[in-house]
Amino acid sequence: MNPDVLVAVFLTVITASTPLLLAALGELVTERAGVLNLGVEGMMLMGAVVGFAVTLTTGQWGLGVLAAALAGAGLALVFGVLTLTLVANQVATGLALTIFGIGVSSLIGAGFVGKPLPPLPRLAVPGLSDLPVVGRLLFGQDLLVYLSLVMTGVVAFVLNRTRIGLVLRAVGQSDVSAHAIGYPVIRIRYGAVLFGGVMSGLAGAYLSLAYTPLWVQEMTAGRGWIALAIVVFAAWRPGRALVGAYLFGGITILQLYAQGAGWLPVPSQIFSMLPYLATILVLVIISAGPWRRRLDAPACLGKPFRPAA
Amino acid sequence: MANIITRRGFLAGTAGIGAGLSLGVNGALAQAQGPLGVGFIYVGPVGDHGWSFTHDVGRKHLEQTLGAKVKTTFVENVAEGPDAERVIRQLATSGNGLIFTTSFGFMNPTERVARQFPNLKFEHATGYKSAPNLATYNARFYEGRAVIGTIAGHVSKSGIAGYVGSVPIPEVVMGINAFTLAARKVNPNFTTRVVWVNSWYDPGKEADAAKALLDQRADVLSQHTDSPAPLQQAEARGAFGFGQANDMKAFAPKAQLTAIVDDWADYYVSRAQAALDGSWKTHSVWYGMKEGMVKIAPYGPGVTDAARAAAEQVKADIISGKSHPFMGPIKDNKGVERVPAGKTLTDEELNKMDWYVEGVQA
């Protein structure tokens, strides 16, 4: 394969993987604090539609991205109030959040269907972006791509090397102990849930502003669920989430290129199944007792916390 | 204890009775006098800017044309399967006299509900099961594909078209073949590369497939998926493409050569009018460019004069019946002759098509 095609493949893999990585990082932090938010798909859709709407009406993509993050956080706040303050079931609330997000985003977006928008500008570094092969790969991406990579490092650093990260993990591992020592469990969980909302909102904005600069209903097409799967696949570690997102994105894209070149040895449907198969496999391994502890699933994941009065 | 009626139970009971009554009354009224209730169910969101959107354009046209004589209802985003049957039955019990179910996968649910409501009229798009109160209708999209294939043959410099496919069913295979046959009449070495995304609607994946094809020397794209994403990619790369189901010029002012437009409006009006007159009869129709169910959008700036003339010729010949996109001789992509010279594939053969013509790489 000539280098130009290889570069093209990598460029496409990056665009396919970035929204998965952004959403997965957010959910990873949420889950590390012991909260399972299945509403990623809904929050992504809110980010996508609000980001698109604001960018189109103001002409400022910076505002659009910001608004998308806030929209994701807004929906996450609804989830927080229901599950943390009112102690509703997290799984049911998360599912409802996705359905709610699909509906509200369709409503908000009704007037924006069929409107074109120029794609998010790519940051060009004079000189470097023109380098052969690596130039376009490393120095020609848009802001959100770089943000997703930087955030991987930031999340890993904060979780593993800072006091805040330690407290957040403690809350996820044993909310009762953390509470007994005097940490504000609910407040910390709110923070984690909101962070998840912001990241999902950004993932949505990436879809509607950079990936395919348009708004159509339910344009996330299941990416929120794949992001959830990546978190499990990554065993709640940011570095592995990066690998997982690029693996999932990579498989999807490679099979499309293989089809185009005419040398896909098996029916394309098999490849469409692969990400889900991998997830089921990981889930099975993780649920099998001895692995569970080794993979560090947060012990309080999905369990409601009522502080003793 | 048995005599105590809890408030909750009582409310639920009356609500149920109330709902039942009002449904019954509405249904009776609609059939006795009042406007004709016309129900539609769509597989996608009306905002998909594609397939479901075009059906909804038809529905709106029906309301405008027949005004107070009809009252339309639609349910969007209905999954093909058990949900569909529930929704169709709900439309049947809420006062609709005529119900259009607009996706292939609604066929069996529609048939079952139609059997239970022999007094109501049902119409199913793109299927093959009919009954005295169940008509089927479909459009010969492949005629439009022959026109755009002709344009692709003229416009493509590399002689390679990329085709973003949804799922390999006869309808889609037929389109790929009609496109390729027409393009090869212009350029005998023309090839069509197909990439399946295994979804009708996933803008991101459609865009990825488009990129994969453009990166591999395709310079014209065609698609059988519902979003404008592939066309948008063509615009970004300076390549060409065709709109699907409706005019997508807004997304690709330079790249869109033309679009195959589904126009259900006249059909919906004529069938609702027939139901009002009492002249409605079941039928199984497959309309094309001649009847105006398949239209070609205005040509974009990328269409050369020669391409335009050739496309108009192909269109005129299909409408007049002088030619047919599947006229022999046709070889498949393994070199076997499938249609001898002088023969044309029948509708039945088309609906079972599971092979690719020469020049298709799938």
Side-chain angles (χ1 to χ4, degrees), chain A residues 5 8 12 15-16 113-116 211-214 216-219 221 223 252-253 256-257 259-262 268-269 272, chain B residues 45 47 49 76-77 168 193-198 201-205 207-209 211-212 215-216 228-229 232-233 250-251 361:
Chain A
V5 174
T12 312
T15 50
V113 173
K115 299 254 172 72
Y211 201 159
T212 52
L214 53 89
V216 278
Q217 288 179 28
E218 292 181 49
M219 66 182 298
R223 283 182 183 73
T252 316
I253 300 307
L256 292 175
Y257 276 84
Q259 282 193 56
S268 64
Q269 287 90 340
S272 297
Chain B
H49 215 72
E76 60 182 334
N77 249 335
R193 291 184 171 174
V194 186
V195 168
W196 300 102
V197 296
N198 293 309
Y201 183 69
D202 180 341
K205 213 168 165 193
D208 293 338
K211 286 185 212 163
D215 286 338
Q216 298 180 55
Q232 220 175 16
Q233 289 306 324
F251 292 98
Q361 177 207 295

Side-chain angles (χ1 to χ4, degrees), chain A residues 217-237:
Chain A
Q217 288 179 28
E218 292 181 49
M219 66 182 298
T220 47
R223 283 182 183 73
W225 300 107
I226 295 188
L228 277 162
I230 288 171
V231 175
V232 179
F233 186 89
W236 295 272
R237 305 230 168 102

